[in-house]
């Protein structure tokens, strides 16, 4: 209920981003870390995330003060949680405040999420929230800044992970593809940047992760 939201322990944090000259909050990264730690200990309870969303945590604190060069894991994942909550609620656009800051900022953030996923530093529960974030992104391709990030992960470069015989048959089905594939090979055969590696490997690694977890859970079920 609204009373529960307003009386929640998380509602008290709202004063952190409501203070400051001309209504501008003063940023303390430790506040983000502390809030995220509380969310994680509580099992990411929907009511707690809802409280933070109700108090404009994303628009007034997380996103304005996101800096790709200085950000923490807690900051990255907190944004994931709040965007997911906005999409789930559906009462307002989840992307208005994000897009207002420009494409470059979201692109840098999206790259940070990809890096975090492959770092090995996050739990399975945290991975499920990131996957939900990606689902929300791929279902929001009408937003140009979201579309630019998502479609880079679905290009022909992901075919590096296909069986060679199968890939050759697919290439033979379109006269234009072989020439395009040669260009892709030159660019992605040995990716030099994290962004290029993600563009080549994202889909394959995501499927590998899924199949690995299915196998892991299958073994647990037979014990």
């Amino acid at each position: 209920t609204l009373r529960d939201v307003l009386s929640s322990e998380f509602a008290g944090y709202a004063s952190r981003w409501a203070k400051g000259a001309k209504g501008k909050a003063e940023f303390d990264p430790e506040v983000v870390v502390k809030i995220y730690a509380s969310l994680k200990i509580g099992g990411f309870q929907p009511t707690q995330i809802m409280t933070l969303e109700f108090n404009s945590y994303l628009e007034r604190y997380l996103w304005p003060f996101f800096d790709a060069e200085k950000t923490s894991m807690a900051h990255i994942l907190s944004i994931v949680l709040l965007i997911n909550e906005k999409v789930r609620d559906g009462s307002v656009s989840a992307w208005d405040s994000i897009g207002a800051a420009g494409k470059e900022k979201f692109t840098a953030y999206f790259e940070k999420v990809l890096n975090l996923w492959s770092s090995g530093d996050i739990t399975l529960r945290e991975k499920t929230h990131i996957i939900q974030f990606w689902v929300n992104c791929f279902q929001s391709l009408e937003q140009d800044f979201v579309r630019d990030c998502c479609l880079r992960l679905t290009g022909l470069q992901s075919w590096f992970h296909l069986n060679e015989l199968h890939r050759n048959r697919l290439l033979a089905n379109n006269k234009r593809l072989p020439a395009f594939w040669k260009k892709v090979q030159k660019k992605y055969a040995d990716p030099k940047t994290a962004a290029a590696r993600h563009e080549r490997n994202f889909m394959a690694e995501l499927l590998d992760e899924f199949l690995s977890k299915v196998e892991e859970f299958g073994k647990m079920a037979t014990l």
Side-chain angles (χ1 to χ4, degrees):
T1 65
L2 180 60
R3 178 178 295 180
D4 293 330
V5 169
L6 294 175
S7 63
S8 166
E9 62 171 303
F10 288 89
Y13 283 110
S15 60
R16 295 279 185 169
W17 47 89
K19 293 179 179 179
K22 298 182 181 180
K24 185 176 181 180
E26 296 180 1
F27 183 64
D28 181 355
E30 288 303 313
V31 170
V32 176
V33 172
K34 186 175 181 180
I35 291 175
Y36 185 77
S38 296
L39 289 171
K40 188 172 181 178
I41 291 172
F44 302 106
Q45 293 181 26
T47 53
Q48 294 179 327
I49 300 172
M50 187 187 307
T51 299
L52 292 169
E53 159 56 17
F54 184 82
N55 286 283
S56 303
Y57 186 38
L58 178 66
E59 300 93 329
R60 295 185 180 180
Y61 207 65
L62 291 176
W63 193 242
F65 292 105
F66 171 76
D67 183 338
E69 298 298 324
K70 302 176 182 179
T71 192
S72 64
M73 182 176 74
H75 201 141
I76 295 169
L77 289 171
S78 294
I79 293 173
V80 163
L81 293 172
L82 270 294
I83 289 178
N84 288 349
E85 172 58 24
K86 276 186 171 293
V87 173
R88 183 206 64 79
D89 180 62
S91 59
V92 295
S93 172
W95 303 107
D96 286 351
S97 60
I98 303 298
K103 293 183 179 181
E104 294 78 11
K105 186 170 185 176
F106 183 76
T107 298
Y109 171 72
F110 198 87
E111 192 68 24
K112 284 293 183 180
V113 176
L114 291 170
N115 290 339
L116 185 58
W117 173 271
S118 58
S119 69
D121 296 332
I122 54 177
T123 66
L124 180 60
R125 176 65 65 84
E126 289 168 327
K127 285 184 175 182
T128 64
H129 290 296
I130 289 180
I131 289 175
Q132 183 60 61
F133 167 75
W134 285 332
V135 169
N136 291 331
C137 287
F138 275 91
Q139 291 180 342
S140 302
L141 297 183
E142 71 279 3
Q143 305 289 339
D144 58 350
F145 60 94
V146 177
R147 181 172 63 249
D148 289 347
C149 292
C150 290
L151 295 189
R152 288 205 307 269
L153 304 177
T154 61
L156 199 62
Q157 61 272 13
S158 61
W159 285 23
F160 272 95
H161 296 275
L162 293 178
N163 174 276
E164 185 176 0
L165 292 176
H166 179 56
R167 182 174 62 231
N168 289 339
R169 283 197 295 269
L170 293 173
L171 291 171
N173 289 335
N174 188 311
K175 294 181 180 180
R176 297 181 179 180
L177 281 180
F180 187 44
W181 174 245
K182 288 182 180 180
K183 295 180 181 179
V184 170
Q185 282 182 303
K186 290 181 180 179
K187 181 176 180 180
Y188 291 98
D190 183 22
K192 301 299 184 182
T193 65
R197 286 192 293 273
H198 292 317
E199 290 168 12
R200 169 180 159 156
N201 302 326
F202 172 77
M203 287 296 178
E205 290 178 349
L206 192 61
L207 287 171
D208 286 343
E209 176 83 9
F210 171 74
L211 294 174
S212 174
K213 291 302 178 184
V214 169
E215 182 179 4
E216 181 181 328
F217 293 148
K219 291 179 180 179
M220 292 171 60
T222 59
L223 295 178

